[in-house]
Amino acid sequence: MSRTLRLDAVLIQAVIAGALSFAHLHDLAAAAGQDGWKAWAYPVSVDLLLVAAWRRMRTDEENRDAWLWFAIALIASLGANVATAGLLDLNNVPAWLRILVAGWPALAFLGGTLLAHSAAPIREPERTDQLRVEPAADVIVERAPEPASELAPAEPDPRSAPPEPVPIQPSVPVPPALLDHAQKIADAHKAQTGDPIDTATLRSRLGIPPALADAIATQLT
């Protein structure tokens, strides 16, 4: 896609003004003893310092150095325009003007270096009306296991009921700890069902032989 250059009055005026200022600076430098290519380098130096100071002013409006060097370059450009407008005899340039023209390269080099290597301003990030909401961290809540309520054991199926226990033998010993545990089971069974626990249920709950279950059942209160 081709781009067309739009020529308007402002652009034409800028080209004309730049060409005239360039020519005036060249004539003044040549009159001050800077002949040859040196006379052409002076307007380039002045214009470059002017552009560098202007760009620094756009990025940092409160930079006093940029304003100072912009004023120096502008005065140099305006001074050359006024001096070559017939107010100064270019065939007899005064000594102070020759000194200024000769010292300009060092002054322009100092200004350009300071503008190029000065620290750029640190701009604070723009504040937004909406607050940034940080994602909440995943929280894992561990709940303690609830104690399982003791349910009433199902009534044994008569068809799958174990055979009738044989009469207890007086020689089967019952450990006291096992007897206490069986007593707690019998009490819980009676509290839930209202009936005393039978031998078959006690044996299935304790997982003991029939003989030992009969011995414990006879000692329960």
Side-chain angles (χ1 to χ4, degrees):
M1 180 182 295
S2 61
R3 296 183 178 179
T4 58
L5 181 61
R6 180 182 178 185
L7 298 178
D8 55 8
V10 177
L11 181 60
I12 296 175
Q13 180 67 23
V15 173
I16 295 175
L20 291 175
S21 178
F22 192 92
H24 291 162
L25 286 168
H26 169 268
D27 295 343
L28 183 62
Q34 307 296 328
D35 55 352
W37 65 271
K38 293 181 290 184
W40 293 103
Y42 272 86
V44 175
S45 175
V46 174
D47 291 341
L48 286 179
L49 182 61
L50 194 66
V51 172
W54 175 75
R55 293 189 62 181
R56 177 61 65 179
M57 287 163 49
R58 290 193 62 184
T59 57
D60 187 7
E61 297 179 356
E62 298 181 357
N63 193 331
R64 296 182 179 178
D65 294 339
W67 284 94
L68 174 62
W69 290 109
F70 182 82
I72 292 176
L74 185 61
I75 291 174
S77 179
L78 292 177
N81 296 336
V82 174
T84 55
L87 300 179
L88 180 67
D89 185 5
L90 297 181
N91 296 323
N92 187 17
V93 178
W96 63 267
L97 184 57
R98 292 177 180 270
I99 294 175
L100 290 179
V101 173
W104 172 258
L107 184 64
F109 176 77
L110 176 62
T113 303
L114 293 177
L115 291 174
H117 296 282
S118 60
I122 300 177
R123 296 187 177 183
E124 298 181 356
E126 297 181 358
R127 298 181 179 179
T128 56
D129 296 336
Q130 298 180 356
L131 298 178
R132 183 180 178 183
V133 180
E134 297 292 338
D138 295 338
V139 179
I140 300 177
V141 180
E142 297 183 356
R143 300 181 61 182
E146 298 180 357
S149 58
E150 297 184 0
L151 301 177
E155 295 294 334
D157 190 356
R159 293 175 294 179
S160 61
E164 293 295 333
V166 297
I168 187 171
Q169 301 293 333
S171 60
V172 178
V174 179
L178 182 59
L179 182 60
D180 294 338
H181 183 59
Q183 184 65 49
K184 294 179 180 179
I185 294 176
D187 294 339
H189 179 79
K190 187 175 182 180
Q192 293 179 359
T193 62
D195 298 327
I197 191 170
D198 57 321
T199 305
T201 304
L202 181 63
R203 182 175 67 84
S204 63
R205 296 287 299 274
L206 294 176
I208 56 177
L212 184 57
D214 292 339
I216 294 176
T218 57
Q219 299 184 33
L220 293 177
T221 58

